[in-house]
Amino acid sequence: MKESYNFNEVEKKWQKYWEKNKFFEVEMDSKKPKYYVLEMFPYPSGEPHMGHVKNYVIGDVVARYKHSQGYNILHPMGWDAFGLPAENAAIKNQIHPSVWTKENIQKMKSTLIDMSISYDWNREIATCNPDYYKWTQWMFLQLYKKGLAYKKKAVVNWCPSCNVVLANEQVINGKCWRCDTEVIKKELSQWFFKITEYAQRLLDDMESLEEWPEKVLTMQRNWIGRSEGARIEFLIKGSDKTIPVFTTRPDTLYGVTYFLLAPEHPLVEEIMKDSPYKAEVQKYREDVSKESAIDRVSGTSEKKGCFTGKYVINPINGEEIPIWLANYVLMGYGTGAVMAVPAHDQRDFEFAKKYNLPIRIVIQPKDKKVSSDTMKNAFDEEGIMINSGQFNGLSSSKSLDVIIDYLIKKGSGEREVNYRLRDWLISRQRYWGAPIPMIYCENCGMVPVPEKDLPVLLPENVDFKPKGMSPLESNKEFVNTICPKCGRKAKREIDTMDTFVCSSWYYLRFCSPKTDTEPFNAEELKYWMPVDQYIGGVEHAILHLLYSRFFTKALYDMGYVNFEEPFKRLFTQGMVCKGGAAMSKSKGNIVNPGEIFTKFGIDATRVMMLFAGPPEVDMEWTDKGMEGASRFLNRVWRLIYNNIDCFKKGEDKEEVSLKNLSIEAKKIRQKTHQTIKKVTEDVEKRFHFNTAISAIMELVNEAYKLELPEEGKNENDVFVLKKTLEIIVRLLAPITPHFSEELWQEMGNKESIYFKPWPEYDEKMLEEEEKLIVVQINGKLRGKFTVSASCNNEKIKEKALSLSRIKEKITGKEIVKIILVSGKLVNIVIK
RNA sequence: GCCGGAGUGGCGGAAUAGGUAGACGCACAGGACUUAAAAUCCUGCGAAUUGUAAGAUUCGUGCCGGUUCGAUUCCGGCCUCCGGCACCA
């Protein structure tokens, strides 16, 4: 054994050994309980960054830990390989996206192999391979069959820089999620997935996601944005047509003083036919259409409106109400029409003030009086109804239901639930994605590609420079095809799918990645799914995690899977920062993982990442932290090296039966068991590897202090030390696999530590023989003493009172009471 | 504006059921070993007051208040930071 730890040699040695002996390859085994650990697969951008490293290290610790508990571990890795960067890089460097992607996969894979993350590389998948995207296309066809995929002309988000449409989820503050360019609106015919049909179930089933971070659930809830209310029909004056509105406040119906339509509302044309205000309205609509998408929805732009000269009838009291157009009414939500209640809605209030429209109070607060002349803001809380006919005097919250019922009876209203969630736009006008398997025939119209003809291969020879048109259009051999129905000339769909479609089902494919007759094998799926522990960045809280949940539910409804939620437990790790900011190229604060591995080794890097703080919190990368981690491993190495003689002789004994132990040995034995307990709980329940490592450090420090007398060594003391050292190495094994494996073998073990079951602690060993009692006076610490664990409470009290310092403080004072917490503390309350 | 989360030494962080605040580590200072350096080991390390010293006293977990024998922890009210949503009717 070497006197100092040569990580280079040790890490290489065990990597080779594990690979050669196929340690991490798994098969389904119905006799063993399974555990599926998954880290979000990366986009192969080339170099893995520290964020990736953190993600995979956490996953690897979990996988190795669970393995040591006897689980059959599925821990796979693959590549989210379609996507824009490949295409952009290709355009820039004159290299084909597939070549660029494959090179990057190779680079990233070799780093992951260097890190010896315990992946079963036999199960590697890449979404850009035809044997994978064949099944992505199959998924599309199933959704199409189910009526969950449809094409429609719609105003969509368009990124003028990426030259591509974006899903709502990919628009962040009005800007493109990828390049930050301001998104514009475009009308296009596009494919959508009907995720809105699952809005309520996606919401309801969050109840079952008990082991997901609350943060993520909240974000999804906000995104789905359910609101309850009513749909109310307003009759257009002089017509038999009604315009519906959605409102969450039917209780304010008597306070409606004007009516609003979105400027692009389709009914506007119709009602304007015979209006004297035609010209003004026309101009107004043109002006609004020039407003940028961001200003329009940001809430900051000025409210602008235009009177139409038309009126609707309020169904509750027959009042005539003027119809206006307003830029703050959005066509995309509710019905694109709003009943305006300026007294009780801030936006309507501002609008009414600007255009001098009447404000009528119909809800009065309970404790004060507001008046329409003096109010500075709308009153939007609950109160007592006034000016509301037969409903006067009711509390506004209670009247919600009463009014809806009344409207239902009159035939002018319905209960309605609205969601903010929009259908998922999946068409992309780019090359590097899975082709949408659809054919357009002049005779038969839209015809899905028959399943037997899958995959629709992505042609190699394509001019993929962006022209605002799908690049596939440039390959006529691809575009021109024959109709599978009638055999006549037809054209293929030239858009590809959003890459998030590919990543919405990859976790299923890992269960049976090689099967070529079906997307996944039902039996394997039944065994492995759901994913027991999913780990990734919080940036996917809405996008990927919502889409995957939707896919799983759709597949469940079609009978392909027998579970409704794909990820049982989710962990979202924090970012790796340097200098207080997330590492990024633009900030120039990138730390290259490869360089760190060379300088300090993989295992030290793992320790540093896990020790820096709780993994869900952003961590600060410091070189000093790296040195500390490295120092710690060397310290453990020396500790074991100094005591290597312990392992040369002696057979295993029952720990409990050990007699004649020195006090020090007893203490360290107890500490060892406490440490097992602490580390197990921290890793299992809390994922707090930082405190787990600090507990191991404490044990190491204690072990250093245990100086066994040179001559006349107590054999049992030696045995206790040996056990402690073993435990240290075993507890470290999931965190520092190479390091622990080396020490384990040096200790004389033949089998790999990977197969050694996780250590267990003995309750009996945890108890301390002596307890430290803290003495307080009025809650302030005034003294301490130790007693044997068997000492009774009366004696403890007596002893506390007899401490000289305590005596001093209490003489002449009245003792009000004495509080005693068994085995812990005495608090003397004096006056 | 609404919804989450967080605020503890010089720094990262600990205190998992209301019971010794600051574990563990980093940085720093002093010492040992060394010709020297590195490495390693030992000691100290929240602030203030006081004492030759061991020590003692007070303050201290964003701020203000409350509950309690006792509050980083529970309650009420604020402030700041981070994240999400946002003219969503």
Side-chain angles (χ1 to χ4, degrees):
Chain A
M1 181 159 183
K2 306 267 165 35
E3 286 195 36
S4 74
Y5 170 47
N6 182 337
F7 60 81
N8 235 325
E9 210 171 277
V10 168
E11 287 175 356
K12 291 254 157 53
K13 171 178 162 191
W14 293 110
Q15 275 163 17
K16 270 189 206 137
Y17 178 80
W18 295 332
E19 205 198 327
K20 195 174 144 214
N21 293 284
K22 303 182 190 318
F23 264 42
F24 309 120
E25 291 179 17
V26 276
E27 289 303 327
M28 188 168 85
D29 178 354
S30 54
K31 288 189 279 301
K32 262 173 127 181
K34 66 92 187 184
Y35 199 87
Y36 185 175
V37 189
L38 185 63
E39 296 105 60
M40 290 180 185
F41 70 162
Y43 177 77
S45 53
E47 301 291 329
H49 54 72
M50 278 299 173
H52 289 125
V53 173
K54 181 172 177 182
N55 190 192
Y56 309 143
V57 164
I58 295 169
D60 197 45
V61 173
V62 174
R64 288 175 186 265
Y65 167 72
K66 283 286 166 185
H67 182 269
S68 74
Q69 287 191 319
Y71 288 95
N72 196 23
I73 302 294
L74 177 57
H75 190 206
M77 187 34 78
W79 314 99
D80 188 11
F82 272 137
L84 221 36
E87 210 166 322
N88 291 340
I91 292 161
K92 213 172 144 195
N93 306 323
Q94 313 293 323
I95 177 174
H96 197 274
S98 70
V99 176
W100 186 86
T101 303
K102 273 174 196 144
E103 281 175 6
N104 281 341
I105 288 176
Q106 270 324 307
K107 268 193 247 168
M108 282 184 88
K109 187 176 173 182
S110 81
T111 308
L112 293 190
I113 288 174
D114 283 350
M115 287 173 68
S116 347
I117 308 287
S118 58
Y119 296 130
D120 178 356
W121 285 108
N122 271 340
R123 291 174 187 260
E124 179 181 3
I125 56 177
T127 57
C128 65
N129 290 341
D131 57 4
Y132 182 87
Y133 71 69
K134 172 182 178 178
W135 300 111
T136 305
Q137 292 170 338
W138 180 90
M139 296 280 164
F140 177 94
L141 292 177
Q142 307 313 307
L143 292 172
Y144 179 76
K145 263 198 260 172
K146 256 272 172 182
L148 291 170
Y150 66 95
K151 197 174 192 184
K152 75 166 180 198
K153 205 170 188 186
V155 177
V156 298
N157 307 303
W158 178 268
C159 172
S161 159
C162 298
N163 266 302
V164 71
V165 295
L166 299 170
N168 277 341
E169 288 80 2
Q170 291 167 329
V171 181
I172 316 288
N173 292 328
K175 293 179 180 170
C176 174
W177 70 302
R178 191 190 296 284
C179 68
D180 240 19
T181 307
E182 193 168 312
V183 167
I184 59 171
K185 295 281 176 188
K186 237 187 181 182
E187 194 173 51
L188 283 174
S189 185
Q190 299 283 283
W191 282 97
F192 290 85
F193 284 163
K194 223 184 245 177
I195 191 170
T196 52
E197 195 155 292
Y198 285 79
Q200 192 58 49
R201 269 167 74 190
L202 287 166
L203 210 52
D204 290 343
D205 291 352
M206 277 185 224
E207 295 292 316
S208 70
L209 300 176
E210 285 164 11
E211 293 178 286
W212 278 44
E214 199 47 50
K215 181 168 61 166
V216 173
L217 295 176
T218 306
M219 281 164 74
Q220 292 208 357
R221 253 181 228 117
N222 286 343
W223 189 257
I224 295 170
R226 180 193 153 100
S227 52
E228 273 178 53
R231 168 187 283 256
I232 303 175
E233 302 286 343
F234 282 71
L235 186 70
I236 302 171
K237 188 191 165 197
S239 148
D240 53 1
K241 266 212 150 136
T242 60
I243 312 178
V245 298
F246 172 74
T247 179
T248 53
R249 293 293 303 275
D251 55 318
T252 62
L253 193 47
Y254 282 91
V256 177
T257 55
Y258 59 101
F259 191 91
L260 293 170
L261 288 176
E264 59 275 60
H265 199 289
L267 267 176
V268 176
E269 293 285 332
E270 205 180 317
I271 62 167
M272 290 318 291
K273 265 186 218 147
D274 55 347
S275 166
Y277 291 81
K278 216 169 171 174
E280 286 97 319
V281 167
Q282 186 57 33
K283 175 154 193 313
Y284 173 77
R285 293 179 81 190
E286 277 166 22
D287 288 349
V288 171
S289 69
K290 282 182 206 136
E291 255 184 75
S292 85
I294 298 195
D295 288 349
R296 181 71 191 281
V297 293
S298 68
T300 50
S301 80
E302 206 193 333
K303 292 183 175 47
K304 281 186 214 131
C306 178
F307 178 48
T308 61
K310 291 288 185 169
Y311 295 84
V312 288
I313 310 292
N314 187 337
I316 203 137
N317 57 10
E319 247 175 30
E320 279 183 19
I321 298 158
I323 305 178
W324 284 63
L325 304 188
N327 59 345
Y328 71 94
V329 178
L330 309 172
M331 199 52 227
Y333 184 77
T335 61
V338 168
M339 55 177 238
V341 188
H344 305 294
D345 180 284
Q346 187 58 28
R347 295 155 301 175
D348 297 343
F349 181 81
E350 284 165 26
F351 191 84
K353 281 280 175 201
K354 179 166 176 183
Y355 291 102
N356 227 351
L357 291 158
I359 297 171
R360 185 193 304 149
I361 292 173
V362 292
I363 291 164
Q364 214 29 278
K366 281 164 188 155
D367 47 353
K368 55 180 184 220
K369 244 198 152 87
V370 293
S371 124
S372 54
D373 308 325
T374 56
M375 70 199 302
K376 293 269 181 313
N377 283 300
F379 172 69
D380 55 10
E381 289 153 55
E382 70 160 291
I384 302 297
M385 296 184 65
I386 59 165
N387 298 327
S388 298
Q390 55 175 301
F391 303 100
N392 282 341
L394 279 180
S395 103
S396 61
S397 58
K398 278 189 198 130
S399 73
L400 281 172
D401 268 328
V402 181
I403 294 204
I404 299 176
D405 286 339
Y406 178 79
L407 291 169
I408 292 172
K409 245 183 240 160
K410 278 191 65 178
S412 46
E414 279 310 328
R415 277 201 171 70
E416 192 172 89
V417 175
N418 241 289
Y419 301 91
R420 219 188 59 104
L421 184 70
R422 302 269 76 93
D423 276 340
W424 173 15
L425 196 174
I426 59 129
S427 302
R428 293 294 178 273
Q429 295 68 44
R430 297 303 297 243
Y431 166 71
W432 194 231
I436 296 174
M438 272 291 161
I439 290 169
Y440 303 98
C441 167
E442 278 176 26
N443 292 304
C444 315
M446 209 150 64
V447 181
V449 173
E451 285 179 28
K452 64 171 174 53
D453 294 345
L454 294 181
V456 176
L457 282 173
L458 191 61
E460 286 272 311
N461 184 18
V462 160
D463 175 15
F464 41 76
K465 288 183 194 71
K467 299 182 189 68
M469 237 322 204
S470 298
L472 286 179
E473 143 85 358
S474 70
N475 184 315
K476 297 300 170 205
E477 274 170 59
F478 175 82
V479 176
N480 295 318
T481 185
I482 48 164
C483 172
K485 239 182 185 169
C486 68
R488 275 183 258 191
K489 277 187 185 167
K491 288 195 184 308
R492 284 190 191 279
E493 168 68 59
I494 51 169
D495 283 353
T496 52
M497 283 187 247
D498 182 2
T499 55
F500 280 95
V501 177
C502 306
S503 59
S504 291
W505 71 281
Y506 78 106
Y507 45 90
L508 302 172
R509 184 70 183 169
F510 276 136
C511 298
S512 50
K514 301 235 158 72
T515 168
D516 57 0
T517 52
E518 49 189 1
F520 37 70
N521 173 280
E523 210 185 319
E524 300 257 7
L525 210 63
K526 206 173 163 190
Y527 177 71
W528 290 115
M529 283 297 291
V531 174
D532 294 280
Q533 179 68 62
Y534 199 30
I535 306 164
V538 75
E539 67 273 14
H540 289 110
I542 294 168
L543 288 153
H544 164 61
L545 289 167
L546 195 64
Y547 295 151
S548 296
R549 295 184 59 220
F550 158 65
F551 251 68
T552 302
K553 287 179 195 305
L555 289 169
Y556 174 85
D557 288 350
M558 294 185 256
Y560 289 115
V561 304
N562 65 338
F563 45 88
E564 287 198 67
E565 286 292 339
F567 313 123
K568 199 171 156 204
R569 195 175 180 203
L570 173 71
F571 185 84
T572 51
Q573 93 265 6
M575 291 182 298
V576 183
C577 301
K578 200 183 175 192
M583 287 186 186
S584 73
K585 271 190 201 146
S586 58
K587 291 216 178 64
N589 59 350
I590 300 260
V591 175
N592 180 280
E595 282 171 29
I596 297 295
F597 298 155
T598 318
K599 201 166 163 197
F600 298 99
I602 311 284
D603 284 345
T605 311
R606 292 168 66 117
V607 169
M608 154 39 178
M609 299 224 104
L610 297 171
F611 186 62
E616 67 273 22
V617 177
D618 290 352
M619 65 166 283
E620 176 70 20
W621 179 272
T622 62
D623 295 337
K624 290 288 178 197
M626 235 11 272
E627 285 166 29
S630 175
R631 202 176 301 158
F632 167 63
L633 292 187
N634 277 305
R635 196 167 144 80
V636 176
W637 185 273
R638 281 192 309 272
L639 173 69
I640 290 172
Y641 178 74
N642 291 344
N643 294 291
I644 200 74
D645 291 346
C646 300
F647 299 94
K648 292 216 169 115
K649 52 181 187 286
E651 71 276 43
D652 274 5
K653 306 170 198 185
E654 271 300 313
E655 269 187 275
V656 210
S657 67
L658 296 178
K659 297 276 187 292
N660 310 321
L661 284 184
S662 65
I663 293 168
E664 288 77 20
K666 272 187 189 163
K667 270 195 182 148
I668 194 125
R669 182 176 65 173
Q670 181 203 338
K671 179 86 181 169
T672 302
H673 283 264
Q674 287 170 339
T675 306
I676 298 172
K677 181 171 196 236
K678 166 105 181 122
V679 172
T680 307
E681 286 173 359
D682 281 351
V683 170
E684 175 88 42
K685 293 186 196 152
R686 305 200 307 163
F687 261 41
H688 278 197
F689 310 108
N690 56 330
T691 49
I693 293 171
S694 74
I696 299 170
M697 285 173 168
E698 281 183 55
L699 184 60
V700 170
N701 292 345
E702 289 301 314
Y704 261 104
K705 281 185 207 152
L706 182 70
E707 292 275 347
L708 297 174
E710 260 321 306
E711 66 256 31
K713 267 188 197 172
N714 177 335
E715 205 184 294
N716 286 341
D717 275 12
V718 172
F719 181 76
V720 165
L721 177 63
K722 172 182 159 183
K723 281 289 155 199
T724 296
L725 301 179
E726 263 183 36
I727 293 297
I728 289 169
V729 169
R730 287 167 65 191
L731 292 177
L732 278 172
I735 297 167
T736 57
H738 316 81
F739 176 83
S740 293
E741 186 80 275
E742 177 74 12
L743 287 174
W744 184 244
Q745 305 277 334
E746 287 297 325
M747 287 172 167
N749 298 290
K750 293 278 174 292
E751 204 187 22
S752 165
I753 197 164
Y754 187 63
F755 297 106
K756 182 80 183 164
W758 188 249
E760 282 176 20
Y761 60 88
D762 186 338
E763 287 287 346
K764 280 187 290 240
M765 302 282 193
L766 296 175
E767 280 159 36
E768 321 211 350
E769 290 184 6
E770 282 200 326
K771 297 222 155 136
L772 181 71
I773 306 293
V774 171
V775 188
Q776 299 179 330
I777 294 176
N778 290 346
K780 280 199 172 128
L781 178 68
R782 293 294 183 227
K784 309 172 189 187
F785 61 91
T786 50
V787 291
S788 80
S790 58
C791 187
N792 70 32
N793 286 349
E794 271 316 302
K795 276 213 182 109
I796 289 174
K797 228 186 255 186
E798 243 170 64
K799 184 141 188 199
L801 288 167
S802 70
L803 292 178
S804 61
R805 205 174 140 209
I806 300 299
K807 265 188 184 160
E808 242 171 68
K809 298 247 169 204
I810 60 175
T811 39
K813 301 280 165 65
E814 182 198 342
I815 295 180
V816 183
K817 59 175 158 177
I818 296 175
I819 284 151
L820 195 137
V821 182
S822 262
K824 249 187 190 163
L825 129 166
V826 180
N827 186 13
I828 303 159
V829 187
I830 59 170
K831 251 207 291 209

